[in-house]
Amino acid sequence: MLDGFSTDVLICGAGAAGLTLAIDLARRGVAFRLIDMAEGPFQGSRGKGLQPRSLELFEDLGILDRIFARGGFYPLRRQYSDGGFRDFEMIERREPTPAEPYSRPFMLPQNLTEAVMRERLAEFGQRVEFGRELIGIAQDALGVRARVAAANGEETIRARYLVGADGGRSFVRKAFDIGFPGEAMNVRAVVADLALEGLTRDVWHWWSPTPGTMLTLCPLCGTDLFQLFAPIPMEGDPDLSAGGLTAMISQRTGRRDIIVREVSWCSAYSMNARLADRFQVGRVFLAGDAAHIHPPTGGQGLNTSVQDAYNLGWKLAAVLNGATEKLLGTYEEERRPVAAGVLGLAAKLLAAMGRGEIRRGRDAQEMDLGYPGSTLSLERPARTAGVHAGDRAPDAPCRTAAGHPTRLFNLFQGPHWTLLGYEADREAVPSRTNLRIHCTSAGGDIIDEGGHIRAGYGVRPGDWVLIRPDAYIGAMVCAGEMPALSHYLDDAGLGLVSP
Ligand SMILES: Cc1cc2nc3c(=O)[nH]c(=O)nc-3n(C[C@H](O)[C@H](O)[C@H](O)COP(=O)(O)OP(=O)(O)OC[C@H]3O[C@@H](n4cnc5c(N)ncnc54)[C@H](O)[C@@H]3O)c2cc1C
């Protein structure tokens, strides 16, 4: 590699955020290294709920089929009280629509989701370098110099960019003295993956005599295990052995027939809600838990982390391919407000759980998050209805010109931008690298049979919709605003050059 650089991007941390970024960079042909201080993959269910927006991301990355094959949908919640029980939906049930193909959260333990991600990475000839710990960083105008310790000695890696996806205790965040304000929630809980007997696997079992003595046991899809969740006092050392957890279950449920046979993974942790003051310092970025941590209520941690990486990946690749650096500034601009909102939601859901209210609605599904105020969002004229620039780009079933069924998500899939002309003149927009243009006009390549594109986007004849590589709407313009669209596409910040 030129100029003494050994790689373009050094990713520190191979959790969900680091792995997502690695896959995204790999499919864009960007050189990177992915290091993790752990000796091997983390074995624990932790973030088991995959929100619909994450499922869309996984479809784009080419791993959704495998995720679906290994996990399952959430079962009903069974609430025990007064010697009886009541079953009910915990997650608001919605049917898929043409615009939103995945309408329900899906369950797969985080260690299995990450295993699928490592499998995908291997398909690109890449792997996690376990047993390598980042112990020092310095940066200059051209790149970073990272000191990495391994069993066989120390190595210095010179990279153009560093991404700290190194979790809540982030070394990278601390090394750059980035503030991490927020609050300790004064809630501590045991989370454990257990092999046990005495319970059916068809429902999520809940006992909640009082908030402090609640206990839940969730059958973990894709395994024979149950995930235990139980608040505990802030002080003291709970007995986390099989015998200790059997006793805790018996005490809180009144049942002596539930016996823990094995503790596969266990953690007693105190909940925090914190947001990093900055997500970027020069050539260094924070992603995932390194940038924000929240209580697990609502299943937001993993989902927000993978969305950070998805936002950053295409921008890093574009800048490494010649786009100007200002594009990277939009990472913090777009993701920090989203993380702040998610933090508020998780805290709200935690407070609601304390009151015994558990139902999760659409606000936890991350489908309505977007970047409407972003400097990357262009809308001409301003729209009064339907989706806006910055919103998630809806899916829509349609047909190819030859009549074969397809979907917009098939057209979006991959590392490119997509320009969609609704009954618009294809010749009006010159070709550019990394931009695919599709039109519904006569002589165009797609047919809006059923009108799902028109309905989903609220477009009129002559309108153009530009979809970013991360499936958000970059620009929406009418026919008369072609100069504004051309100006947007010509912006050196995007790197969409004419061939
Ligand atoms: C007990 C528990 C329960 C949770 N439950 C849920 C839940 O129900 N739903 C949910 O959505 N989220 C949950 N979460 C949160 C979720 O697990 C995290 O949000 C998610 O793991 C964040 O992913 P990440 O990749 O940002 O960080 P992590 O998964 O923490 O990965 C960071 C990686 O960086 C590595 N690393 C750290 N420092 C260095 C270094 N100096 N050099 C090299 N490598 C380093 C670590 O070894 C680790 O592999 C839970 C978390 C915990 C701890």
Side-chain angles (χ1 to χ4, degrees):
M1 188 149 299
L2 290 176
D3 307 330
F5 286 96
S6 55
T7 193
D8 282 332
V9 182
L10 174 62
I11 307 169
C12 176
L19 284 164
T20 301
L21 181 63
I23 296 171
D24 203 14
L25 294 180
R27 69 180 181 153
R28 294 169 192 280
V30 171
F32 66 88
R33 287 182 63 182
L34 173 58
I35 60 164
D36 199 295
M37 66 193 274
E39 289 305 320
F42 185 87
Q43 298 301 338
S45 59
R46 295 194 294 171
K48 63 186 181 303
L50 302 174
Q51 300 296 349
R53 188 57 177 151
S54 301
L55 299 178
E56 295 182 353
L57 182 166
F58 292 154
E59 181 177 8
D60 183 35
L61 296 185
I63 57 173
L64 187 60
D65 291 350
R66 279 172 268 195
I67 298 267
F68 278 162
R70 292 180 201 188
F73 287 105
Y74 277 76
L76 293 176
R77 170 184 164 189
R78 174 162 295 172
Q79 177 71 51
Y80 297 91
S81 60
D82 304 328
F85 65 79
R86 191 166 66 89
D87 289 347
F88 56 92
E89 291 278 1
M90 179 170 152
I91 293 163
E92 212 169 271
R93 196 175 271 268
R94 291 187 299 118
E95 291 306 315
T97 66
E100 297 182 357
Y102 311 114
S103 57
R104 287 195 275 162
F106 191 77
M107 193 204 300
L108 188 67
Q110 185 168 337
N111 52 321
L112 299 188
T113 299
E114 291 177 1
V116 169
M117 290 175 161
R118 286 192 300 274
E119 223 174 89
R120 182 74 178 125
L121 206 52
E123 290 165 6
F124 292 105
Q126 304 282 359
R127 66 183 177 85
V128 180
E129 297 178 50
F130 285 111
R132 292 191 170 267
E133 179 178 1
L134 182 67
I135 54 169
I137 326 166
Q139 70 168 319
D140 54 43
L142 297 178
V144 299
R145 200 174 294 279
R147 278 175 52 222
V148 174
N152 56 358
E154 208 178 292
E155 174 193 16
T156 298
I157 300 177
R158 177 83 168 130
R160 291 176 205 278
Y161 296 98
L162 167 71
V163 180
D166 50 348
R169 298 196 174 105
S170 174
F171 172 83
V172 176
R173 190 186 65 235
K174 290 174 189 158
F176 287 92
D177 209 14
I178 300 172
F180 202 39
E183 53 172 328
M185 313 292 293
N186 209 23
V187 178
R188 186 171 172 230
V190 173
V191 181
D193 297 346
L194 308 175
L196 57 75
E197 59 188 50
L199 278 182
T200 61
R201 294 188 63 84
D202 55 339
V203 292
W204 185 345
H205 304 267
W206 287 69
W207 295 265
S208 39
T210 67
T213 58
M214 78 172 277
L215 185 142
T216 85
L217 283 161
C218 177
L220 280 172
C221 297
T223 75
D224 297 329
L225 305 171
F226 284 81
Q227 187 192 57
L228 174 141
F229 176 86
I232 52 172
M234 290 302 292
E235 304 299 332
D237 287 325
D239 181 352
L240 301 179
S241 66
L245 291 174
T246 299
M248 177 197 273
I249 292 169
S250 166
Q251 192 184 30
R252 294 195 185 191
T253 66
R255 300 239 329 230
R256 290 171 179 240
D257 58 329
I258 305 173
I259 312 290
V260 177
R261 292 292 173 207
E262 196 184 317
V263 181
S264 159
W265 165 74
C266 193
S267 162
Y269 78 112
S270 304
M271 296 179 200
N272 279 276
R274 297 185 185 279
L275 179 64
D277 284 336
R278 303 172 68 181
F279 282 20
Q280 178 186 6
V281 179
R283 293 177 163 267
V284 177
F285 299 85
L286 298 179
D289 274 16
H292 42 76
I293 47 168
H294 358 120
T297 33
Q300 303 294 297
L302 173 142
N303 293 278
T304 310
S305 298
V306 300
Q307 296 291 346
D308 285 347
Y310 194 49
N311 183 289
L312 183 57
W314 69 269
K315 294 174 180 174
L316 279 170
V319 171
L320 284 162
N321 279 315
T324 56
E325 297 245 342
K326 75 171 183 184
L327 182 61
L328 291 174
T330 65
Y331 169 65
E332 176 177 310
E333 178 198 334
E334 294 186 339
R335 289 307 298 172
R336 197 167 174 279
V338 166
V342 169
L343 228 71
L345 173 69
K348 191 180 90 182
L349 291 174
L350 182 66
M353 190 163 93
R355 297 191 300 272
E357 300 160 18
I358 306 294
R359 206 172 161 82
R360 293 172 187 170
R362 184 178 168 91
D363 52 354
Q365 302 193 351
E366 305 209 341
M367 295 293 276
D368 301 319
L369 299 180
Y371 317 119
S374 166
T375 47
L376 288 178
S377 301
L378 168 76
E379 193 174 293
R380 296 275 179 84
R383 295 160 54 84
T384 50
V387 291
H388 293 270
D391 285 349
R392 160 192 172 273
D395 195 8
C398 51
R399 287 190 184 270
T400 66
H404 299 115
T406 186
R407 300 155 61 208
L408 287 187
F409 277 12
N410 294 340
L411 306 182
F412 299 163
Q413 189 173 19
H416 54 275
W417 292 71
T418 307
L419 183 60
L420 207 57
Y422 185 74
E423 295 182 25
D425 176 13
R426 164 70 187 82
E427 301 307 315
V429 185
S431 299
R432 286 156 210 264
T433 52
N434 207 27
L435 176 68
R436 295 201 190 154
I437 304 176
H438 300 280
C439 287
T440 64
S441 49
D445 63 333
I446 49 171
I447 304 166
D448 186 22
E449 192 186 79
H452 297 300
I453 298 178
R454 179 171 40 78
Y457 285 80
V459 278
R460 297 202 183 129
D463 284 352
W464 291 92
V465 186
L466 179 65
I467 290 102
R468 306 172 6 164
D470 57 357
Y472 285 86
I473 298 172
M476 289 188 89
V477 301
C478 68
E481 294 284 357
M482 277 312 287
L485 181 63
S486 298
H487 190 253
Y488 185 106
L489 292 170
D490 286 340
D491 189 330
L494 301 182
L496 287 168
V497 289
S498 302

